[in-house]
Amino acid sequence: MSMALADRGLHPARAAAGAGGGSLESFFTGLAPDWHSRWAWDHYEATILALAHQFGLTRLCEIGGGRDPLFSPQEAQRYGLDLVVNDIDAGELALAPKGLRTARFDIAGDLSEPDIARGGYDMMVSRMVFEHVDDVERAWRNIHALLAPGGIGLAFVPTLWAPVFALNHVLPEKASRAIVHALFPARRDGGGDPKFPAFYDWCRGSRSRLAPMLNRAGFSDIHVQPFWGHGYFERMPGLRQVDDLFNRLAARTGWEFVTTYAYVVVRKER
């Protein structure tokens, strides 16, 4: 993973609580992300660390981290993170690296599970999880309940209506699974990155589209960072070039209806 931002000396444990004011919008303006989703993938962990440093956050919960959390125990210690890895599936949590604390609960559930820590996290993050949640608004309400005052929620999601995800959305699960398995063998059942059913509930790359729902969940400081482009057609010459041109034009004009991915970021009021 890229730690380009972290290597500039960002270390959340060195930030005093409440340090680094400003809005999420101003934070991302200073970060100046590229339009292409390569930036989103390459800099996700570093963006988390930069947010932690900027806003003085240390208690991190990764939603749906399961077998493949963003940070190893050694990295969490290096960056001063008190990390908890969450998943709904005990089997996935059993595959998490040894040395990480885990918490089993449904982020879109009733928050009655014993592993729940209301107000116990400074930051809750997820990567390619919310498309598999069938009640995302409830998930965001739960995140609001689980965050401490001033805490930040960050979800990295694939978005509709990018053509590649729109196709996945409308195809029967059996057909979608067969296509993904053919293109990405590691995502076959029993592989290291299995495919789960996707609903794409509230998975959009437009702030205007998401803000009313996030306001209802309790958030007012909101930022949606859109990205375009993907790697699904890397082995398909011709189609790859056409798709790249389409995404370049969409990014240039800011056509948020067809974003491919987005960072959806919220901050709980103090």
Side-chain angles (χ1 to χ4, degrees):
M1 66 183 169
S2 171
M3 288 294 175
L5 300 179
D7 288 343
R8 297 176 190 171
L10 300 182
H11 194 302
R14 295 174 190 159
S23 67
L24 294 174
E25 191 76 28
S26 63
F27 171 86
F28 277 91
T29 297
L31 202 59
D34 186 61
W35 68 270
H36 199 280
S37 67
R38 281 189 300 268
W39 192 99
W41 286 100
D42 289 346
H43 294 84
Y44 188 53
E45 294 94 331
T47 298
I48 291 169
L49 294 175
L51 282 164
H53 174 80
Q54 175 75 11
F55 295 99
L57 314 173
T58 59
R59 297 174 299 169
L60 174 67
C61 176
E62 182 181 355
I63 302 164
R67 71 176 70 196
D68 186 28
L70 291 161
F71 300 102
S72 69
Q74 295 76 21
E75 288 167 336
Q77 183 178 24
R78 174 186 174 190
Y79 295 114
L81 298 173
D82 180 8
L83 176 62
V84 173
V85 177
N86 154 266
D87 208 286
I88 192 175
D89 189 329
E92 289 292 312
L93 287 177
L95 297 172
K98 302 300 181 185
L100 288 178
R101 288 195 296 136
T102 61
R104 183 187 177 192
F105 60 86
D106 181 359
I107 193 59
D110 62 7
L111 298 189
S112 63
E113 294 91 335
D115 284 348
I116 292 294
R118 291 176 180 269
Y121 302 111
D122 298 323
M123 197 171 188
M124 300 190 75
V125 304
S126 68
R127 175 185 59 180
M128 304 301 117
V129 171
F130 273 36
E131 70 272 25
H132 305 297
V133 175
D134 61 3
D135 190 349
V136 165
E137 183 166 352
R138 187 175 188 183
W140 282 115
R141 290 201 307 269
N142 286 347
I143 287 172
H144 189 272
L146 294 169
L147 284 173
I152 286 176
L154 168 57
F156 182 11
V157 299
T159 60
L160 295 177
W161 291 94
V164 66
F165 296 131
L167 182 64
N168 185 44
H169 185 49
V170 301
L171 282 176
E173 177 60 22
K174 184 176 181 179
S176 172
R177 185 180 295 269
I179 292 171
V180 171
H181 288 177
L183 292 174
F184 302 98
R187 303 204 61 186
R188 295 172 183 166
D189 295 342
D193 185 20
K195 183 185 186 300
F196 300 103
F199 307 104
Y200 298 101
D201 183 40
W202 289 107
C203 288
R204 305 292 187 273
S206 166
R207 187 189 188 284
S208 62
R209 178 78 172 85
L210 293 179
M213 179 272 291
L214 293 169
N215 290 155
R216 291 194 299 270
F219 299 102
S220 56
D221 189 1
I222 298 164
H223 179 78
V224 178
Q225 185 64 46
F227 299 97
W228 291 262
H230 57 86
Y232 284 90
F233 299 149
E234 284 299 314
R235 293 183 289 176
M236 300 180 183
L239 182 57
R240 181 180 69 238
Q241 283 79 9
V242 170
D243 183 73
D244 182 65
L245 178 60
F246 171 82
N247 281 288
R248 284 181 180 276
L249 291 174
R252 187 176 301 168
T253 59
W255 190 15
E256 293 178 341
F257 184 75
V258 292
T259 56
T260 312
Y261 296 95
Y263 290 174
V264 181
V265 199
V266 294
R267 191 179 188 210
K268 185 174 179 176
E269 290 187 1
R270 289 191 169 279

